Amino acid sequence: MSADRLPQDMQDALDSAIKRELRAEDAWEDERDAAYRRARGLGAAFVLVAAVIFIAALTTVVAVIVDALL
């Protein structure tokens, strides 16, 4: 056995640990992506509600101005 080569059981344990770490990283990235999609959905809903409120306020202002002129 050369000095730069690990025993097979240690190499297997190292390979297993690397695979576990890669799976954990993939799971974390999947969770991050899901959270990003949820945040985008909430942002779109917020913009839609803000637009409806803005249009309602603008309609009210126009109605008050028209009523005052007539």
Side-chain angles (χ1 to χ4, degrees):
M1 181 172 77
S2 65
D4 62 341
R5 185 104 169 110
L6 291 173
Q8 189 60 41
D9 59 340
M10 291 180 74
Q11 186 65 47
D12 291 344
L14 181 59
D15 290 344
S16 177
I18 290 170
K19 287 178 185 175
R20 274 193 313 272
E21 182 62 29
L22 290 174
R23 281 192 304 266
E25 185 176 327
D26 288 345
W28 181 85
E29 288 174 353
D30 291 344
E31 181 59 33
R32 182 197 63 199
D33 292 344
Y36 177 72
R37 284 190 300 275
R38 284 191 302 269
R40 280 185 49 197
L42 289 175
F46 177 76
V47 168
L48 181 62
V49 169
V52 168
I53 290 171
F54 176 76
I55 290 170
L58 187 59
T59 303
T60 303
V61 168
V62 169
V64 167
I65 291 172
V66 168
D67 188 44
L69 292 175
L70 296 178

